[in-house]
mmCIF file of all heavy atoms in Angstrom:
data_model
loop_
_atom_site.group_PDB
_atom_site.id
_atom_site.type_symbol
_atom_site.label_atom_id
_atom_site.label_comp_id
_atom_site.label_asym_id
_atom_site.label_seq_id
_atom_site.Cartn_x
_atom_site.Cartn_y
_atom_site.Cartn_z
ATOM 1 N N VAL M 1 77.242 216.262 -197.778
ATOM 2 C CA VAL M 1 76.699 217.593 -197.445
ATOM 3 C C VAL M 1 77.472 218.697 -197.994
ATOM 4 O O VAL M 1 76.914 219.641 -198.727
ATOM 5 C CB VAL M 1 76.426 217.819 -195.980
ATOM 6 C CG1 VAL M 1 76.005 219.148 -195.613
ATOM 7 C CG2 VAL M 1 75.495 216.755 -195.443
ATOM 8 N N VAL M 2 78.791 218.622 -197.844
ATOM 9 C CA VAL M 2 79.709 219.643 -198.409
ATOM 10 C C VAL M 2 79.633 219.675 -199.913
ATOM 11 O O VAL M 2 79.507 220.758 -200.499
ATOM 12 C CB VAL M 2 81.182 219.375 -197.928
ATOM 13 C CG1 VAL M 2 82.093 220.364 -198.658
ATOM 14 C CG2 VAL M 2 81.321 219.558 -196.402
ATOM 15 N N SER M 3 79.626 218.536 -200.616
ATOM 16 C CA SER M 3 79.566 218.480 -201.944
ATOM 17 C C SER M 3 78.185 219.049 -202.493
ATOM 18 O O SER M 3 78.224 219.776 -203.500
ATOM 19 C CB SER M 3 79.633 216.968 -202.428
ATOM 20 O OG SER M 3 80.955 216.514 -202.082
ATOM 21 N N SER M 4 77.180 218.735 -201.768
ATOM 22 C CA SER M 4 75.851 219.189 -202.233
ATOM 23 C C SER M 4 75.783 220.657 -202.015
ATOM 24 O O SER M 4 75.205 221.368 -202.959
ATOM 25 C CB SER M 4 74.813 218.578 -201.303
ATOM 26 O OG SER M 4 73.461 219.113 -201.575
ATOM 27 N N ILE M 5 76.418 221.285 -201.027
ATOM 28 C CA ILE M 5 76.384 222.616 -200.862
ATOM 29 C C ILE M 5 77.068 223.492 -202.143
ATOM 30 O O ILE M 5 76.533 224.379 -202.549
ATOM 31 C CB ILE M 5 76.916 223.228 -199.372
ATOM 32 C CG1 ILE M 5 76.035 222.657 -198.441
ATOM 33 C CG2 ILE M 5 77.231 224.557 -199.549
ATOM 34 C CD1 ILE M 5 76.639 222.847 -196.997
ATOM 35 N N LEU M 6 78.234 222.844 -202.410
ATOM 36 C CA LEU M 6 79.107 223.350 -203.457
ATOM 37 C C LEU M 6 78.265 223.332 -204.846
ATOM 38 O O LEU M 6 78.376 224.186 -205.697
ATOM 39 C CB LEU M 6 80.298 222.799 -203.502
ATOM 40 C CG LEU M 6 81.329 223.035 -202.396
ATOM 41 C CD1 LEU M 6 82.572 222.228 -202.466
ATOM 42 C CD2 LEU M 6 81.674 224.521 -202.247
ATOM 43 N N LYS M 7 77.502 222.197 -205.003
ATOM 44 C CA LYS M 7 76.850 221.973 -206.221
ATOM 45 C C LYS M 7 75.773 223.191 -206.431
ATOM 46 O O LYS M 7 75.323 223.322 -207.464
ATOM 47 C CB LYS M 7 76.268 220.714 -206.397
ATOM 48 C CG LYS M 7 77.406 219.565 -206.591
ATOM 49 C CD LYS M 7 76.648 218.274 -206.682
ATOM 50 C CE LYS M 7 77.648 217.109 -206.878
ATOM 51 N NZ LYS M 7 77.116 215.685 -206.914
ATOM 52 N N GLN M 8 75.137 223.544 -205.311
ATOM 53 C CA GLN M 8 73.948 224.493 -205.417
ATOM 54 C C GLN M 8 74.377 225.853 -205.603
ATOM 55 O O GLN M 8 73.503 226.819 -205.657
ATOM 56 C CB GLN M 8 73.223 224.332 -204.094
ATOM 57 C CG GLN M 8 72.544 222.860 -203.888
ATOM 58 C CD GLN M 8 71.658 222.857 -202.626
ATOM 59 O OE1 GLN M 8 70.981 223.865 -202.319
ATOM 60 N NE2 GLN M 8 71.744 221.777 -201.987
ATOM 61 N N CYS M 9 75.625 226.190 -205.674
ATOM 62 C CA CYS M 9 76.073 227.543 -206.043
ATOM 63 C C CYS M 9 77.039 227.523 -207.135
ATOM 64 O O CYS M 9 77.743 226.546 -207.342
ATOM 65 C CB CYS M 9 76.687 228.173 -204.815
ATOM 66 S SG CYS M 9 78.242 227.435 -204.330
ATOM 67 N N LYS M 10 76.882 228.480 -207.911
ATOM 68 C CA LYS M 10 77.861 228.726 -209.093
ATOM 69 C C LYS M 10 79.243 229.062 -208.658
ATOM 70 O O LYS M 10 79.388 229.736 -207.599
ATOM 71 C CB LYS M 10 77.275 229.700 -209.952
ATOM 72 C CG LYS M 10 75.907 229.226 -210.685
ATOM 73 C CD LYS M 10 75.333 230.336 -211.680
ATOM 74 C CE LYS M 10 74.092 229.967 -212.321
ATOM 75 N NZ LYS M 10 73.537 230.907 -213.142
ATOM 76 N N LEU M 11 80.158 228.747 -209.299
ATOM 77 C CA LEU M 11 81.590 229.121 -208.897
ATOM 78 C C LEU M 11 81.689 230.615 -208.871
ATOM 79 O O LEU M 11 81.342 231.358 -209.746
ATOM 80 C CB LEU M 11 82.579 228.519 -210.005
ATOM 81 C CG LEU M 11 84.007 228.538 -209.521
ATOM 82 C CD1 LEU M 11 84.279 227.672 -208.419
ATOM 83 C CD2 LEU M 11 84.921 228.079 -210.783
ATOM 84 N N GLY M 12 82.185 231.130 -207.702
ATOM 85 C CA GLY M 12 82.346 232.571 -207.505
ATOM 86 C C GLY M 12 81.152 233.131 -206.762
ATOM 87 O O GLY M 12 81.412 234.350 -206.336
ATOM 88 N N ASN M 13 80.049 232.472 -206.563
ATOM 89 C CA ASN M 13 79.040 233.020 -205.871
ATOM 90 C C ASN M 13 79.206 233.075 -204.438
ATOM 91 O O ASN M 13 80.121 232.356 -203.758
ATOM 92 C CB ASN M 13 77.596 232.167 -206.061
ATOM 93 C CG ASN M 13 77.007 232.474 -207.395
ATOM 94 O OD1 ASN M 13 77.576 233.432 -208.151
ATOM 95 N ND2 ASN M 13 75.972 231.842 -207.831
ATOM 96 N N THR M 14 78.438 233.817 -203.571
ATOM 97 C CA THR M 14 78.666 233.891 -202.166
ATOM 98 C C THR M 14 77.629 233.245 -201.438
ATOM 99 O O THR M 14 76.397 233.415 -201.702
ATOM 100 C CB THR M 14 78.647 235.436 -201.748
ATOM 101 O OG1 THR M 14 79.661 236.131 -202.484
ATOM 102 C CG2 THR M 14 78.880 235.639 -200.237
ATOM 103 N N LEU M 15 78.118 232.408 -200.468
ATOM 104 C CA LEU M 15 77.145 231.707 -199.612
ATOM 105 C C LEU M 15 76.927 232.443 -198.414
ATOM 106 O O LEU M 15 77.844 233.081 -197.730
ATOM 107 C CB LEU M 15 77.636 230.329 -199.349
ATOM 108 C CG LEU M 15 77.775 229.369 -200.531
ATOM 109 C CD1 LEU M 15 78.542 228.039 -200.132
ATOM 110 C CD2 LEU M 15 76.364 229.013 -201.158
ATOM 111 N N CYS M 16 75.651 232.233 -197.834
ATOM 112 C CA CYS M 16 75.366 232.954 -196.524
ATOM 113 C C CYS M 16 75.440 231.899 -195.464
ATOM 114 O O CYS M 16 75.175 230.613 -195.679
ATOM 115 C CB CYS M 16 73.920 233.447 -196.513
ATOM 116 S SG CYS M 16 73.381 234.100 -194.869
ATOM 117 N N VAL M 17 75.975 232.141 -194.297
ATOM 118 C CA VAL M 17 76.045 231.207 -193.254
ATOM 119 C C VAL M 17 74.812 230.565 -192.890
ATOM 120 O O VAL M 17 74.733 229.276 -192.695
ATOM 121 C CB VAL M 17 76.559 231.907 -191.980
ATOM 122 C CG1 VAL M 17 76.508 230.936 -190.739
ATOM 123 C CG2 VAL M 17 78.120 232.400 -192.103
ATOM 124 N N GLU M 18 73.661 231.180 -192.876
ATOM 125 C CA GLU M 18 72.422 230.700 -192.562
ATOM 126 C C GLU M 18 71.933 229.651 -193.605
ATOM 127 O O GLU M 18 71.504 228.599 -193.329
ATOM 128 C CB GLU M 18 71.331 231.724 -192.399
ATOM 129 C CG GLU M 18 71.488 232.741 -191.215
ATOM 130 C CD GLU M 18 71.194 231.978 -189.905
ATOM 131 O OE1 GLU M 18 70.590 230.853 -189.976
ATOM 132 O OE2 GLU M 18 71.548 232.484 -188.907
ATOM 133 N N GLU M 19 72.288 229.946 -194.858
ATOM 134 C CA GLU M 19 71.925 228.890 -195.841
ATOM 135 C C GLU M 19 72.742 227.679 -195.705
ATOM 136 O O GLU M 19 72.243 226.575 -195.978
ATOM 137 C CB GLU M 19 72.304 229.546 -197.353
ATOM 138 C CG GLU M 19 71.391 230.729 -197.633
ATOM 139 C CD GLU M 19 71.747 231.392 -198.939
ATOM 140 O OE1 GLU M 19 72.960 231.283 -199.302
ATOM 141 O OE2 GLU M 19 70.945 232.122 -199.501
ATOM 142 N N ILE M 20 74.004 227.707 -195.408
ATOM 143 C CA ILE M 20 74.814 226.570 -195.238
ATOM 144 C C ILE M 20 74.265 225.758 -193.946
ATOM 145 O O ILE M 20 74.140 224.435 -194.032
ATOM 146 C CB ILE M 20 76.320 226.994 -194.908
ATOM 147 C CG1 ILE M 20 76.851 227.635 -196.128
ATOM 148 C CG2 ILE M 20 77.091 225.736 -194.415
ATOM 149 C CD1 ILE M 20 78.322 228.066 -195.856
ATOM 150 N N GLN M 21 73.906 226.394 -192.956
ATOM 151 C CA GLN M 21 73.390 225.701 -191.850
ATOM 152 C C GLN M 21 71.975 225.046 -192.115
ATOM 153 O O GLN M 21 71.701 223.894 -191.610
ATOM 154 C CB GLN M 21 73.155 226.562 -190.619
ATOM 155 C CG GLN M 21 74.510 227.054 -190.023
ATOM 156 C CD GLN M 21 74.432 227.985 -188.826
ATOM 157 O OE1 GLN M 21 73.386 228.550 -188.669
ATOM 158 N NE2 GLN M 21 75.500 228.093 -188.022
ATOM 159 N N ASP M 22 71.267 225.661 -192.957
ATOM 160 C CA ASP M 22 70.025 225.059 -193.444
ATOM 161 C C ASP M 22 70.200 223.915 -194.159
ATOM 162 O O ASP M 22 69.515 222.733 -193.977
ATOM 163 C CB ASP M 22 69.182 226.086 -194.305
ATOM 164 C CG ASP M 22 68.519 227.233 -193.364
ATOM 165 O OD1 ASP M 22 68.482 226.960 -192.222
ATOM 166 O OD2 ASP M 22 68.232 228.184 -193.997
ATOM 167 N N GLN M 23 71.228 223.781 -195.069
ATOM 168 C CA GLN M 23 71.505 222.565 -195.825
ATOM 169 C C GLN M 23 72.036 221.417 -194.914
ATOM 170 O O GLN M 23 71.659 220.257 -195.073
ATOM 171 C CB GLN M 23 72.683 222.909 -196.844
ATOM 172 C CG GLN M 23 72.205 223.862 -197.882
ATOM 173 C CD GLN M 23 71.250 223.273 -198.814
ATOM 174 O OE1 GLN M 23 71.233 222.104 -199.144
ATOM 175 N NE2 GLN M 23 70.267 224.094 -199.284
ATOM 176 N N VAL M 24 72.813 221.584 -193.973
ATOM 177 C CA VAL M 24 73.316 220.691 -192.933
ATOM 178 C C VAL M 24 72.092 220.151 -192.247
ATOM 179 O O VAL M 24 71.870 218.969 -192.015
ATOM 180 C CB VAL M 24 74.218 221.307 -191.908
ATOM 181 C CG1 VAL M 24 74.601 220.335 -190.863
ATOM 182 C CG2 VAL M 24 75.563 221.731 -192.705
ATOM 183 N N GLU M 25 71.282 221.004 -191.754
ATOM 184 C CA GLU M 25 70.046 220.646 -190.998
ATOM 185 C C GLU M 25 69.182 219.801 -191.823
ATOM 186 O O GLU M 25 68.662 218.719 -191.366
ATOM 187 C CB GLU M 25 69.229 221.780 -190.417
ATOM 188 C CG GLU M 25 68.140 221.562 -189.490
ATOM 189 C CD GLU M 25 67.528 222.924 -189.170
ATOM 190 O OE1 GLU M 25 68.314 223.861 -188.602
ATOM 191 O OE2 GLU M 25 66.408 223.063 -189.108
ATOM 192 N N ASN M 26 68.936 220.106 -193.178
ATOM 193 C CA ASN M 26 68.013 219.341 -193.997
ATOM 194 C C ASN M 26 68.634 218.032 -194.274
ATOM 195 O O ASN M 26 67.942 216.954 -194.270
ATOM 196 C CB ASN M 26 67.767 220.104 -195.309
ATOM 197 C CG ASN M 26 66.791 221.235 -194.999
ATOM 198 O OD1 ASN M 26 66.119 221.207 -194.098
ATOM 199 N ND2 ASN M 26 66.956 222.312 -195.793
ATOM 200 N N ALA M 27 69.862 217.920 -194.452
ATOM 201 C CA ALA M 27 70.635 216.682 -194.841
ATOM 202 C C ALA M 27 70.442 215.698 -193.696
ATOM 203 O O ALA M 27 70.234 214.525 -193.869
ATOM 204 C CB ALA M 27 72.147 216.975 -195.148
ATOM 205 N N LEU M 28 70.731 216.217 -192.481
ATOM 206 C CA LEU M 28 70.608 215.342 -191.293
ATOM 207 C C LEU M 28 69.107 214.865 -191.043
ATOM 208 O O LEU M 28 68.959 213.635 -190.737
ATOM 209 C CB LEU M 28 71.083 216.053 -190.052
ATOM 210 C CG LEU M 28 72.544 216.269 -189.962
ATOM 211 C CD1 LEU M 28 72.969 217.294 -188.761
ATOM 212 C CD2 LEU M 28 73.330 214.985 -189.738
ATOM 213 N N MET M 29 68.150 215.796 -191.176
ATOM 214 C CA MET M 29 66.820 215.307 -191.055
ATOM 215 C C MET M 29 66.379 214.248 -192.033
ATOM 216 O O MET M 29 65.565 213.368 -191.842
ATOM 217 C CB MET M 29 65.903 216.591 -191.117
ATOM 218 C CG MET M 29 65.982 217.457 -189.965
ATOM 219 S SD MET M 29 65.539 216.687 -188.395
ATOM 220 C CE MET M 29 63.703 216.377 -188.743
ATOM 221 N N ASN M 30 66.979 214.345 -193.296
ATOM 222 C CA ASN M 30 66.725 213.230 -194.352
ATOM 223 C C ASN M 30 67.481 211.968 -194.422
ATOM 224 O O ASN M 30 67.358 211.102 -195.185
ATOM 225 C CB ASN M 30 66.796 213.982 -195.767
ATOM 226 C CG ASN M 30 65.681 215.035 -195.936
ATOM 227 O OD1 ASN M 30 64.612 214.974 -195.420
ATOM 228 N ND2 ASN M 30 66.190 216.122 -196.681
ATOM 229 N N SER M 31 68.286 211.979 -193.313
ATOM 230 C CA SER M 31 69.284 210.644 -193.165
ATOM 231 C C SER M 31 68.647 209.836 -192.010
ATOM 232 O O SER M 31 67.579 210.098 -191.451
ATOM 233 C CB SER M 31 70.703 211.216 -192.905
ATOM 234 O OG SER M 31 70.720 211.777 -191.530
ATOM 235 N N ASP M 32 69.540 208.969 -191.631
ATOM 236 C CA ASP M 32 69.103 208.043 -190.420
ATOM 237 C C ASP M 32 69.573 208.614 -189.207
ATOM 238 O O ASP M 32 69.524 207.993 -188.233
ATOM 239 C CB ASP M 32 69.807 206.638 -190.640
ATOM 240 C CG ASP M 32 69.234 205.934 -192.009
ATOM 241 O OD1 ASP M 32 68.105 206.130 -192.280
ATOM 242 O OD2 ASP M 32 69.954 205.059 -192.542
ATOM 243 N N TYR M 33 70.104 209.817 -189.178
ATOM 244 C CA TYR M 33 70.608 210.490 -187.983
ATOM 245 C C TYR M 33 69.739 211.610 -187.530
ATOM 246 O O TYR M 33 70.221 212.700 -187.362
ATOM 247 C CB TYR M 33 72.006 210.928 -188.140
ATOM 248 C CG TYR M 33 72.981 209.775 -188.593
ATOM 249 C CD1 TYR M 33 73.354 209.580 -189.912
ATOM 250 C CD2 TYR M 33 73.706 209.116 -187.630
ATOM 251 C CE1 TYR M 33 74.296 208.669 -190.208
ATOM 252 C CE2 TYR M 33 74.503 208.012 -187.964
ATOM 253 C CZ TYR M 33 74.822 207.750 -189.346
ATOM 254 O OH TYR M 33 75.687 206.801 -189.628
ATOM 255 N N LYS M 34 68.413 211.324 -187.406
ATOM 256 C CA LYS M 34 67.495 212.400 -186.959
ATOM 257 C C LYS M 34 67.759 212.887 -185.495
ATOM 258 O O LYS M 34 67.516 214.029 -185.227
ATOM 259 C CB LYS M 34 66.146 211.926 -187.193
ATOM 260 C CG LYS M 34 65.581 211.648 -188.659
ATOM 261 C CD LYS M 34 64.171 211.274 -188.669
ATOM 262 C CE LYS M 34 63.769 211.277 -190.212
ATOM 263 N NZ LYS M 34 64.621 210.444 -191.032
ATOM 264 N N ASP M 35 68.362 212.014 -184.664
ATOM 265 C CA ASP M 35 68.543 212.328 -183.400
ATOM 266 C C ASP M 35 69.743 213.311 -183.317
ATOM 267 O O ASP M 35 69.827 214.261 -182.575
ATOM 268 C CB ASP M 35 68.870 211.224 -182.446
ATOM 269 C CG ASP M 35 69.886 210.255 -183.112
ATOM 270 O OD1 ASP M 35 70.241 210.458 -184.283
ATOM 271 O OD2 ASP M 35 70.316 209.240 -182.427
ATOM 272 N N VAL M 36 70.782 213.178 -184.313
ATOM 273 C CA VAL M 36 71.832 214.106 -184.430
ATOM 274 C C VAL M 36 71.303 215.390 -184.977
ATOM 275 O O VAL M 36 71.794 216.486 -184.476
ATOM 276 C CB VAL M 36 72.901 213.569 -185.379
ATOM 277 C CG1 VAL M 36 74.067 214.464 -185.564
ATOM 278 C CG2 VAL M 36 73.450 212.195 -184.879
#
């Protein structure tokens, strides 16, 4: 998830907290850990 987040932004770009949390949420929902 960390690697995916970094790949989606260009070096030097600014990430928003909400965007990071959305990425975490989507990754978990698409995994075998939907209860998590």
Side-chain angles (χ1 to χ4, degrees):
V1 170
V2 172
S3 299
S4 175
I5 291 172
L6 290 175
K7 287 178 182 179
Q8 293 183 39
C9 66
K10 296 178 180 179
L11 194 64
N13 282 358
T14 300
L15 295 173
C16 175
V17 170
E18 293 291 344
E19 292 174 341
I20 293 175
Q21 291 181 340
D22 287 342
Q23 292 294 323
V24 172
E25 189 176 308
N26 291 333
L28 288 171
M29 288 298 295
N30 293 326
S31 71
D32 294 331
Y33 299 98
K34 291 181 173 55
D35 46 356
V36 178

